[in-house]
Amino acid sequence: MNKNLRVKSSDYIDETNRISFKFNGKTYHGFKGDTLASALLANDVHLVGRSFKYHRPRGIMTSGSEEPNAIVQINPGTNRTEPNVRATEVEIYEGLEASSQNCWPSVEFDIGGINNFLSPFFPAGFYYKTFMWPASFWEKYEFFIRHSAGLGKSPTSSDPDIYDHRNIHCDVLVVGAGISGILAAKNAAKNNFKTLLVDEKNELGGSTFYENNEFNKIDNKTPSEWLKKEIEELKNIKNLEIKTRTSVAAYHQYNYLLAKENLTDHLEAKDKANKIRQRLLKIRAKKVILATGALERPLIFNNNDRPGIMLSSAIKKYSEFYGVACGSKNVFFTNNDSAYESALSLYNKGINVEAIVDIRDQSESKIVKKIEEAGIKIYWSHTIVDTAGYKRLNRVSIMKLSNDGTSVTGSKISISCDCLGVAGGWTPAVHLYTQSGSKLKFDEEKQIFLPNQNTSEQISVGSCGGDFKIDEIIKNLNQKLKDSLNIKETDLDKIKIEIDQENSKRNIWLLPSDKPLGKTKPFVDYQNDATAKDIKLALREGFRSIEHVKRYTTTGMGTDQGKLGNMHALGIIADTAGVKMGELGTTTFRPPYTPLTFGTIVGRNVGKFFDIFRRTPMNDWHVENKAEFENVGQWKRAWYYPINGETMHQAVQRESKAARESAGILDASTLGKIDIQGSDASEFLNRVYTNAWSKLAIGKCRYGLMLNEDGMVYDDGVTTRLGENHYLMTTTTGGAANVLGKLEDYLQTEWPELDVYLTSVTDHYATASLCGPNSKKIIKKIIPDLDLSDESFPHMSFKEAKIGNIQCRIMRISFTGEHSYEINVQASYGKDLWEKFIEAGKEFNITPYGTETMHLLRAEKGFIIVGQDTDGTMTPIDLQMDWIVSKKKYDFIGKRSLYRSDTMKEDRKQLVGLLTEDPNVILEEGAQIVSELNQNPVEMLGHVTSSYFSPNLNKSIALAVVRGGKDMMGKQLFVPMENKNINVTVANPVFYDEKNERLNA
Amino acid sequence: MFLINCPYCGERDQQEFKAGGEAHIERPKQPTELSDDEWAEYLFMRKNTKGVQFERWNHAHGCRKWFNMVRDTSNDEIKAIYKMGEKPPAQ
């Protein structure tokens, strides 16, 4: 091992910059410009992983993002570790560590390899068939399956890196910077289109970049030379932004694309620090030019997965671009001329090519002649029937192929080799094209799916559009550019091209062996270990839809999404079922094209930026006074204020007593506030609330209940008439935005004739709610000249006042049942106001209370909380709030639904109070209520919606919804809990001060 | 992610908008005179067309205006956008 397979200095690898890295704990060397794959190959390491199911040894197969086998764990054991990374895409840097996946104890000796020998027992659908019975065993099976499943390991601590999002708007987006993409971008930008060119690789140029086939010439230069000049020119073009290391993950409708820009993964640790690692580009393009190229197809034959078996194009790239020989005894296996280009590349560099096995019977192209002249043996009409070598290929066996391609004849020839390049033709990379919703068509002659019906402004150029030869590519690209961008001349008009003649091809999806199919292992999906016989088994078992076959055999379901083998799977299904490929369709290509990190997806929305939150103007005071907070919608609300180590229960009991005995103060700023103005404001309120509003006097307040059109309670709150045509509506904290939306909807769509304007003023005011028998005295201290007498300022009325220079609105309204005021000031004065009240209230032991105490106090009064005591299935009648539903009004939102046969039923769930037999037992909210304990199955009558221990009544109280509860007053029911049954009695939901005497106390 | 041409603001990303269900269902002027079935028809029954569908949309995170859209649900092509109260385009 560790022989050096560098063949000659490459233009793209910096041999002066030696880099050391670790793979599976061992130190290796590569050069700046190497990928992990090319560096390993240069060190003669082919075995890099084990397959998913059979744990077969697997090697590097490709040189790009389509790699199915060489997926590794990067920087294992650190918080920057990343699983399932393709070694072919990792640029090496000093200090890089990587390890194989899915093997134990090591990739060289893997216990799971036993599965390979047991493989006759693991056919397609093995898990579905085996672990079905007995059903009770599933939990035991699951334990073992979960332990053996999965490829890499996710990090166990949080990601230390920074990620980012960026929105980009452009006229033209070009995806892929091969020859087509470069020429498209250049011509678009030159014609004043704001253009963005992206490519997943770190260099522009695609495969033409190292295309030195002497029989192809552009303007009398090799394609490689010619293209380098074009790339040089790109640098001077305005309007053109180029992003390398940027892979488009998703192509959505209306030309909205997501791309991952990789910024620091190729840098060593010291250069990564404090930089953005990856950025998600959200691109909206007027036109999209797809130049995503084509992926070389493997060939499907017996044991086609051994380390050392690679795509022919990959071998060429490793030799031309990275200067690495993948083997010292190379064989190619092909159905077209591509393999000859690779063979010639090796030959020109002095690397030994043993033979070429070609399933065609001949080819007339110049390059084939050149190979023959070089003395390389070509086996025409032959196929590989088997390969040998467990951890590295050492031999292939070939036989003559029958004329119809379904069987082999003659004697077996054995060829010794350590590397096999397979060339099965080219599959246009139409993944992004179909993601956009556009439709494909199958070309029977070329045996490929091609773009057919575009759904957005887009074109597919180059090989992803079905053009493989340089003359076709340039000609069609030129025409498509002119049509799409509406331009008359391009610099492609005058290009002179010479090319090798026709590239013939013979397509056989599954190549025969001398052994019966059942005894062979022709892999279609390398990563998931799906073979051709698994696909045939699925068909025999009755699966017909391609989508079903895919899921049953797991073909194409690995992290590579079957980029190599999916076409063969389709072909084998079509051949076996006797249908045409075009009729079969394809499986759905789903985003992402290559995997994204979670970091890229979430960007900056982590930690405290994960979700928006809102704070009231008094928030700092709550924090300083050690409040505990709870989330209410997006708001952070003070929940309770523990002192001296109180528990929540102790704090709430203290706060509740204080509010009723002397004075309490609540931050009510989060309540939704909607300013309503216009000459039809009263009429509008009449239509949206259940009660009547026309006669509400200016300066008075009224409680309103808002329904949905289905008659169910939607929101509630107090609305104040500030002027003839001016109201201030309050809504629940959580409902504010939706209520405004709903009101706007009715105004704009159903009642555009109404002269009404709605403005959200929730954030503009801070609200302090002051309650308790001493609340009046506290107000008096702060605003001595305000007349607070019951005659001048009765319950449910409003006054404007000034505290110093601060204008404020005071409503005398109550959610606790106590004498109480709500004081609204401009938000910026909120904390100041709050502190003034706290100071003035000291002599009355003013007690700040939070949402928990507020809930308790209102429950003592039987006031509902929409969303806690209601759940979208409660009408006002169900809530025993008939008094608020106007009988006189002709119509209001939801009125008609209150008379539907269903909403009028007597046995609907209705709101009642519950008292426990033992006053110290507190019911659990959500607990079920029954009337019979010995019934089986027991009938659920309803559930507890609110439950507290009331310090003011010295007993537990609860609100509940109970089927037919209205008529059950005094009846005994049961709340069955895990260890006991709790006896309860149905009661009036107003537990405290039923006559409302305290409001005026 | 659609690109929606708000009739008041111009082209904006879909994330600024909220879909509001089927369009051109007028709230009955005299609900109390409707039978349960007629009211239920208005209240609950909505089409779910595969193909051309008339929809209400709201520029919720923009101008807050409601408008109508004609959309082909099979390929999400937006065929027309028009203001509330305007006549729907002929199909």
Side-chain angles (χ1 to χ4, degrees):
Chain A
M1 291 293 262
N2 262 16
K3 58 180 163 179
N4 187 358
L5 290 170
R6 293 285 169 184
V7 280
K8 83 171 197 26
S9 58
S10 147
D11 293 350
Y12 321 110
I13 298 294
D14 179 4
E15 291 200 31
T16 61
N17 194 344
R18 206 165 99 117
I19 289 170
S20 65
F21 64 98
K22 275 187 180 172
F23 182 66
N24 285 336
K26 194 174 163 188
T27 302
Y28 295 93
H29 297 284
F31 299 114
K32 185 84 193 153
D34 263 327
T35 62
L36 179 58
S38 70
L40 286 171
L41 289 169
N43 287 283
D44 203 24
V45 176
H46 273 257
L47 172 61
V48 291
R50 292 275 179 160
S51 68
F52 185 56
K53 195 163 142 189
Y54 303 134
H55 293 251
R56 283 171 69 100
R58 290 283 163 81
I60 297 156
M61 190 144 187
T62 73
S63 59
S65 60
E66 71 271 35
E67 176 62 38
N69 289 340
I71 54 175
V72 296
Q73 184 95 26
I74 295 293
N75 297 322
T78 70
N79 54 1
R80 285 201 163 86
T81 193
E82 191 180 349
N84 304 339
V85 179
R86 293 153 300 283
T88 49
E89 290 196 300
V90 178
E91 295 173 48
I92 59 165
Y93 52 84
E94 192 64 38
L96 169 72
E97 289 192 35
S99 66
S100 301
Q101 299 183 158
N102 204 37
C103 53
W104 185 84
S106 77
V107 70
E108 293 285 336
F109 177 74
D110 176 15
I111 293 279
I114 190 113
N115 285 5
N116 186 33
F117 303 101
L118 297 175
S119 64
F121 304 107
F122 290 105
F126 170 73
Y127 288 83
Y128 302 126
K129 289 165 184 164
T130 311
F131 299 115
M132 289 295 291
W133 31 256
S136 59
F137 267 47
W138 170 245
E139 281 182 16
K140 289 191 176 59
Y141 292 141
E142 191 189 12
F143 177 82
F144 286 102
I145 292 172
R146 289 219 182 277
H147 273 251
S148 61
L151 292 165
K153 288 191 173 59
S154 50
T156 49
S157 53
S158 61
D159 190 336
D161 282 316
I162 309 166
Y163 300 84
D164 196 24
H165 285 182
R166 183 184 155 194
N167 287 297
I168 297 183
H169 297 265
C170 58
D171 294 325
V172 177
L173 169 69
V174 183
V175 185
I179 185 167
S180 311
I182 285 168
L183 296 177
K186 186 180 168 194
N187 280 288
K190 272 187 168 177
N191 282 283
N192 289 325
F193 291 96
K194 188 184 161 200
T195 305
L196 174 64
L197 172 66
V198 301
D199 194 278
E200 61 182 6
K201 300 246 172 10
N202 59 338
E203 294 264 10
L204 304 182
S207 62
T208 314
F209 196 61
Y210 50 89
E211 172 59 72
N212 293 318
N213 183 340
E214 60 202 86
F215 302 109
N216 292 341
K217 289 273 160 64
I218 306 176
D219 287 343
N220 292 321
K221 295 193 175 95
T222 65
S224 167
E225 276 178 292
W226 184 83
L227 186 63
K228 277 168 203 161
K229 178 184 61 83
E230 293 288 310
I231 292 171
E232 204 50 42
E233 281 177 27
L234 284 185
K235 289 175 189 159
N236 305 320
I237 297 178
K238 276 184 272 177
N239 280 330
L240 176 63
E241 189 180 4
I242 300 172
K243 286 193 175 292
T244 53
R245 298 188 178 98
T246 301
S247 58
V248 174
Y251 186 168
H252 296 293
Q253 301 131 322
Y254 293 85
N255 282 349
Y256 183 68
L257 297 92
L258 300 175
K260 177 190 77 175
E261 183 183 16
N262 212 334
L263 296 160
T264 64
D265 273 0
H266 59 291
L267 302 177
E268 52 187 289
K270 66 177 165 62
D271 300 323
K272 282 189 217 279
N274 299 320
K275 286 188 187 148
I276 293 165
R277 181 191 169 199
Q278 291 168 348
R279 181 182 279 137
L280 185 73
L281 306 179
K282 305 171 174 182
I283 308 166
R284 184 76 79 171
K286 293 211 173 83
K287 288 176 196 291
V288 173
I289 299 179
L290 291 173
T292 47
L295 301 174
E296 188 165 42
R297 290 178 190 171
L299 290 164
I300 310 300
F301 55 95
N302 184 22
N303 286 323
N304 58 344
D305 66 326
R306 299 192 188 282
I309 301 182
M310 307 175 67
L311 294 180
S312 133
S313 57
I315 291 175
K316 179 174 163 190
K317 177 157 187 187
Y318 285 118
S319 111
E320 293 281 349
F321 192 87
Y322 299 106
V324 174
C326 294
S328 44
K329 283 194 286 183
N330 296 282
V331 171
F332 287 91
F333 182 28
T334 186
N335 68 3
N336 70 93
D337 285 351
S338 304
Y340 294 82
E341 290 184 12
S342 305
L344 190 60
S345 158
L346 297 191
Y347 175 79
N348 287 340
K349 286 182 187 296
I351 306 165
N352 179 26
V353 179
E354 295 282 318
I356 296 181
V357 182
D358 197 323
I359 68 171
R360 299 175 299 177
D361 50 15
Q362 60 159 354
S363 170
E364 293 301 324
S365 36
K366 289 180 197 160
I367 193 158
V368 173
K369 293 278 173 290
K370 174 101 183 175
I371 289 287
E372 281 173 338
E373 283 161 20
I376 295 170
K377 171 79 180 153
I378 303 174
Y379 293 94
W380 296 107
S381 299
H382 272 69
T383 184
I384 294 181
V385 294
D386 203 359
T387 66
Y390 186 57
K391 289 180 197 167
R392 176 72 184 268
L393 179 77
N394 57 32
R395 180 174 302 277
V396 297
S397 307
I398 67 170
M399 286 175 82
K400 182 109 177 137
L401 193 61
S402 68
N403 285 339
D404 65 357
T406 60
S407 59
V408 285
T409 57
S411 55
K412 220 185 269 188
I413 304 166
S414 180
I415 308 169
S416 162
C417 61
D418 61 359
C419 184
L420 174 71
V422 291
W426 295 85
T427 302
V430 292
H431 309 68
L432 293 176
Y433 177 80
T434 55
Q435 279 182 23
S436 75
S438 298
K439 297 279 182 272
L440 299 171
K441 176 184 75 181
F442 190 70
D443 184 319
E444 291 288 346
E445 191 205 318
K446 292 182 177 170
Q447 295 278 296
I448 51 178
F449 282 99
L450 287 177
N452 188 32
Q453 249 181 308
N454 296 355
T455 54
S456 59
E457 286 279 345
Q458 57 170 309
I459 50 174
S460 293
V461 299
S463 57
C464 74
D467 298 325
F468 295 99
K469 288 185 299 174
I470 222 117
D471 58 337
E472 282 174 357
I473 289 173
I474 303 285
K475 191 178 116 220
N476 291 334
L477 168 66
N478 197 11
Q479 195 54 49
K480 283 176 182 173
L481 279 178
K482 286 177 177 174
D483 294 345
S484 167
L485 304 178
N486 200 16
I487 47 182
K488 290 210 170 60
E489 282 177 11
T490 73
D491 47 9
L492 305 179
D493 288 334
K494 287 173 193 156
I495 292 178
K496 277 192 300 198
I497 295 168
E498 291 166 47
I499 57 147
D500 200 355
Q501 65 253 49
E502 204 57 37
N503 183 350
S504 69
K505 186 182 161 184
R506 181 182 188 192
N507 200 61
I508 300 175
W509 294 115
L510 171 60
L511 290 156
S513 168
D514 54 332
K515 291 184 196 155
L517 181 65
K519 303 260 186 214
T520 64
K521 282 212 177 68
F523 286 93
V524 175
D525 183 313
Y526 300 87
Q527 196 178 99
N528 274 350
D529 277 344
T531 65
K533 62 185 177 187
D534 289 324
I535 292 171
K536 293 206 172 199
L537 174 70
L539 289 168
R540 276 205 305 282
E541 290 185 357
F543 291 91
R544 284 293 171 270
S545 155
I546 172 69
E547 296 281 5
H548 291 158
V549 173
K550 165 181 164 170
R551 281 156 185 79
Y552 192 59
T553 61
T554 70
T555 303
M557 290 173 70
T559 59
D560 62 327
Q561 292 282 289
K563 291 188 180 76
L564 296 185
N566 269 357
M567 282 299 290
H568 304 80
L570 290 172
I572 291 165
I573 293 168
D575 285 352
T576 310
V579 294
K580 283 191 169 168
M581 294 268 287
E583 292 161 16
L584 202 59
T586 63
T587 53
T588 312
F589 297 98
R590 289 194 178 80
Y593 177 68
T594 47
L596 292 176
T597 56
F598 282 112
T600 313
I601 297 167
V602 297
R604 306 255 172 178
N605 302 323
V606 291
K608 63 178 175 177
F609 300 117
F610 179 66
D611 197 10
I612 302 167
F613 58 87
R614 302 167 81 182
R615 288 182 179 135
T616 72
M618 291 82 133
N619 186 75
D620 287 353
W621 190 92
H622 305 323
V623 173
E624 283 158 22
N625 288 274
K626 308 282 186 302
E628 292 291 329
F629 287 84
E630 76 167 332
N631 295 329
V632 182
Q634 289 168 334
W635 289 100
K636 301 277 176 200
R637 289 198 77 176
W639 193 9
Y640 58 97
Y641 300 80
I643 43 178
N644 300 327
E646 281 175 321
T647 62
M648 170 160 143
H649 180 77
Q650 288 164 339
V652 169
Q653 297 289 306
R654 172 181 51 78
E655 291 170 12
S656 304
K657 268 185 102 68
R660 293 227 187 271
E661 285 170 4
S662 178
I665 185 165
L666 169 83
D667 180 356
S669 307
T670 64
L671 283 183
K673 292 175 275 289
I674 300 171
D675 185 274
I676 302 175
Q677 301 193 41
S679 57
D680 293 317
S682 303
E683 170 62 16
F684 180 67
L685 290 173
N686 268 334
R687 296 186 191 185
V688 300
Y689 278 131
T690 59
N691 46 351
W693 291 79
S694 311
K695 288 182 187 148
L696 183 69
I698 294 169
K700 297 287 179 193
C701 314
R702 184 165 285 174
Y703 174 75
L705 203 56
M706 195 183 291
L707 309 186
N708 254 332
E709 202 69 276
D710 62 5
M712 304 304 158
V713 172
Y714 182 69
D715 201 77
D716 69 344
V718 170
T719 296
T720 304
R721 189 165 197 177
L722 301 173
E724 175 65 29
N725 298 321
H726 191 185
Y727 290 83
L728 182 67
M729 172 189 278
T730 59
T731 72
T732 57
T733 294
N738 289 337
V739 169
L740 181 68
K742 178 182 153 105
L743 298 183
E744 276 288 348
D745 188 351
Y746 275 91
L747 259 187
Q748 291 179 32
T749 66
E750 299 294 350
W751 308 321
E753 72 280 6
L754 293 186
D755 173 36
V756 176
Y757 300 88
L758 306 174
T759 311
S760 166
V761 292
T762 304
D763 293 314
H764 303 62
Y765 289 95
T767 309
S769 177
L770 184 63
C771 86
N774 287 320
S775 57
K776 193 176 185 173
K777 292 177 197 154
I778 296 170
I779 299 262
K780 194 77 199 166
K781 272 180 79 179
I782 292 176
I783 323 173
D785 53 347
L786 187 65
D787 184 353
L788 293 171
S789 65
D790 285 344
E791 297 71 41
S792 165
F793 199 177
H795 181 57
M796 295 307 268
S797 64
F798 153 81
K799 272 182 192 275
E800 298 232 30
K802 270 191 161 181
I803 302 176
N805 287 326
I806 308 169
Q807 194 72 31
C808 60
R809 290 169 167 172
I810 305 177
M811 283 84 169
R812 189 174 158 196
I813 54 179
S814 175
F815 192 41
T816 58
E818 295 299 316
H819 190 123
S820 126
Y821 300 91
E822 275 188 21
I823 304 97
N824 295 276
V825 293
Q826 256 187 50
S828 49
Y829 296 118
K831 188 165 174 249
D832 184 52
L833 171 89
W834 180 271
E835 282 166 347
K836 277 200 168 74
F837 279 116
I838 297 284
E839 186 57 35
K842 265 188 183 157
E843 60 176 297
F844 306 103
N845 184 32
I846 190 169
T847 302
Y849 66 92
T851 50
E852 192 62 22
T853 292
M854 173 189 83
H855 285 185
L856 190 157
L857 294 172
R858 66 85 208 181
E860 289 178 338
K861 287 293 296 173
F863 294 152
I864 58 156
I865 289 188
V866 173
Q868 177 163 347
D869 303 297
T870 73
D871 61 0
T873 67
M874 303 294 286
T875 70
I877 319 300
D878 298 336
L879 293 170
Q880 305 217 47
M881 291 172 77
D882 311 45
W883 54 272
I884 203 172
V885 180
S886 164
K887 301 275 186 300
K888 289 184 198 149
K889 280 201 294 183
Y890 180 72
D891 192 13
F892 55 82
I893 296 171
K895 174 167 175 141
R896 175 62 185 83
S897 291
L898 297 178
Y899 303 96
R900 290 179 60 234
S901 56
D902 183 56
T903 43
M904 285 169 69
K905 274 197 225 157
E906 293 294 317
D907 65 343
R908 290 176 59 82
K909 281 184 185 167
Q910 291 147 354
L911 186 80
V912 295
L914 286 186
L915 291 172
T916 50
E917 194 177 81
D918 176 351
N920 291 314
V921 172
I922 308 167
L923 296 172
E924 272 186 38
E925 288 175 0
Q928 296 289 319
I929 300 159
V930 302
S931 62
E932 295 286 334
L933 281 172
N934 299 320
Q935 232 177 8
N936 195 6
V938 66
E939 188 194 356
M940 298 296 181
L941 290 180
H943 64 276
V944 179
T945 58
S946 297
S947 175
Y948 307 91
F949 187 83
S950 160
N952 299 301
L953 297 159
N954 204 24
K955 64 179 178 185
S956 84
I957 55 167
L959 298 175
V961 291
V962 176
R963 203 170 284 286
K966 252 186 226 179
D967 297 328
M968 287 187 184
M969 215 47 65
K971 190 176 155 107
Q972 194 178 52
L973 298 173
F974 308 97
V975 175
M977 299 302 291
E978 202 176 354
N979 302 316
K980 59 182 175 187
N981 295 308
I982 303 169
N983 297 352
V984 296
T985 309
V986 178
N988 182 339
V990 185
F991 300 99
Y992 188 80
D993 185 27
E994 206 175 322
K995 293 185 180 142
N996 290 329
E997 283 161 346
R998 301 188 62 85
L999 284 175
N1000 295 313
Chain B
M1 200 71 91
F2 306 165
L3 190 62
I4 297 173
N5 193 5
C6 169
Y8 304 93
C9 308
E11 284 191 335
R12 294 288 191 279
D13 193 277
Q14 185 185 347
Q15 67 183 3
E16 294 184 15
F17 297 84
K18 223 165 116 174
E22 192 181 340
H24 304 297
I25 297 178
E26 202 177 336
R27 188 173 187 271
K29 290 275 179 287
Q30 297 170 324
T32 46
E33 288 168 23
L34 300 183
S35 69
D36 269 11
D37 284 350
E38 286 166 329
W39 180 246
E41 183 68 28
Y42 159 72
L43 194 55
F44 300 121
M45 305 313 272
R46 296 292 182 273
K47 286 185 205 133
N48 186 13
T49 316
K50 181 178 181 182
V52 175
Q53 180 164 288
F54 292 76
E55 300 174 334
R56 290 154 23 97
W57 284 75
N58 182 225
H59 196 181
H61 301 283
C63 63
R64 287 183 11 207
K65 285 283 195 185
W66 283 88
F67 57 90
N68 293 312
M69 178 191 289
V70 186
R71 181 173 68 103
D72 187 331
T73 59
S74 68
N75 59 11
D76 286 328
E77 187 192 341
I78 297 170
K79 294 183 171 294
I81 283 176
Y82 51 101
K83 292 178 181 174
M84 280 293 157
E86 288 179 358
K87 280 219 167 99
Q91 276 198 53

